[in-house]
């Protein structure tokens, strides 16, 4: 009986530490870095590969806004505390664009090879968020017009690249989603200031060049 009680205490301790970590991370993003966040929809408790939203074919289970919607994203400390006190394991969703970072994402394997190529070039990158199937490189906010001009000027842009700008979102670490754990592939440097992020032009130019030069054929995922 003593062994069973001890195991329960350890499990509860781990669970509580995980909940505390989620709230602490959400507060860091919102209040210290001024990144607007909101809780994502939870994965379906009957099957974590499925989403808790009404869409039975959801492609990002547990990694998107639902209730509240994306427009509710905020940097208000009281609201963030209330959300994650009531939903302590909810994924942390960043509303990209405007004053928050945007992102360029691509399939995980292609992203790993592209980052290795950029490292060899000595290119400076900011934080990189890694989900099991896709990685997202955080970039400075950009407008749709700016992105359109950038893509129009290129002869070729891999169709697997996705752009998370104004009106978009990504899940942030240490969120758990239906597809698995969200983590930092390149973690922000410790400190209270918001992490530095590069311009979208530099990232797109470098990623497209790296994928083309290394012969990586990124799947359309």
């Amino acid at each position: 009986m003593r062994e069973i009680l001890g195991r329960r205490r350890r499990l509860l301790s781990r669970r509580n530490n995980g909940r505390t970590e989620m709230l602490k991370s959400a507060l860091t993003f919102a209040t210290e870095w001024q990144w607007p966040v909101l809780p994502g929809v939870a994965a379906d408790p009957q099957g974590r590969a499925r989403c808790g939203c009404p869409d039975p074919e959801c492609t990002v289970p547990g990694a998107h806004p639902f209730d509240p919607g994306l427009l509710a994203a905020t940097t208000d400390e009281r609201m963030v505390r209330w959300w994650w006190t009531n939903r302590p394991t909810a994924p942390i969703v960043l509303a990209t664009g405007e004053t928050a970072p945007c992102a360029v994402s691509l399939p995980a394997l292609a992203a790993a090879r592209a980052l290795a190529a950029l490292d060899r070039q000595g290119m400076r990158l900011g934080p990189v968020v890694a989900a099991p199937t896709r990685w997202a490189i955080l970039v400075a906010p950009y407008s749709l017009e700016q992105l359109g001009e950038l893509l129009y000027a290129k002869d070729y842009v891999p169709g697997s690249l996705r752009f998370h700008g104004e009106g978009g979102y990504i899940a942030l670490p240490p969120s758990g989603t239906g597809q698995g754990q969200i983590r930092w592939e390149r973690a922000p440097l410790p400190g209270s200031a918001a992490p530095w992020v590069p311009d979208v032009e530099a990232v797109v130019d470098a990623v497209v060049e790296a994928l083309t030069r290394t012969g990586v054929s990124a799947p359309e995922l």
Side-chain angles (χ1 to χ4, degrees):
M1 177 64 72
R2 186 175 302 168
E3 182 180 349
I4 292 174
L5 290 174
R7 190 178 304 164
R8 285 179 178 172
R9 290 193 188 99
R10 287 194 297 273
L11 288 172
L12 286 172
S13 176
R14 287 179 196 158
R15 190 175 302 166
N16 289 335
N17 287 341
R19 293 178 175 183
T20 301
E21 184 182 12
M22 292 298 293
L23 174 58
K24 182 179 178 182
S25 296
L27 286 172
T28 295
F29 300 142
T31 64
E32 295 184 16
W33 297 355
Q34 292 297 294
W35 291 3
V37 298
L38 75 163
V41 62
D44 188 337
Q46 302 302 316
R48 288 197 59 82
R50 298 194 304 269
C51 192
C53 74
D55 183 359
E57 299 181 358
C58 180
T59 58
V60 283
H64 67 89
F66 175 62
D67 183 17
L70 186 62
L71 291 178
T74 185
T75 59
D76 182 75
E77 179 179 354
R78 292 174 299 176
M79 194 72 242
V80 170
R81 284 189 181 277
W82 187 86
W83 275 333
W84 272 276
T85 298
N86 288 278
R87 299 167 59 180
T89 60
I92 303 170
V93 174
L94 168 69
T96 55
E98 294 189 6
T99 59
C102 295
V104 176
S105 72
L106 62 162
L109 178 59
R113 293 176 178 174
L115 260 61
L118 299 185
D119 286 343
R120 290 192 293 271
Q121 294 176 21
M123 179 177 176
R124 183 187 179 192
L125 290 175
V128 178
V129 176
T133 59
R134 295 187 71 85
W135 292 6
I137 303 171
L138 298 189
V139 297
Y142 58 78
S143 66
L144 289 177
E145 292 79 10
Q146 182 182 3
L147 179 63
E149 291 176 1
L150 172 63
L151 299 182
Y152 182 77
K154 292 203 163 298
D155 295 328
Y156 168 74
V157 175
S160 58
L161 287 185
R162 294 180 186 166
F163 300 92
H164 310 259
E166 186 176 350
Y169 60 85
I170 60 169
L172 294 174
S175 301
T177 73
Q179 295 180 332
Q181 196 71 24
I182 307 296
R183 62 179 178 82
W184 294 113
E185 173 62 26
R186 301 285 174 90
L189 296 176
S192 59
W196 175 86
V197 290
D199 289 335
V200 66
E201 293 93 341
V203 168
V204 172
D205 288 346
V207 167
V208 170
E209 180 185 355
L211 293 179
T212 303
R213 186 163 41 81
T214 57
V216 176
S217 178
E220 304 291 322
L221 294 177

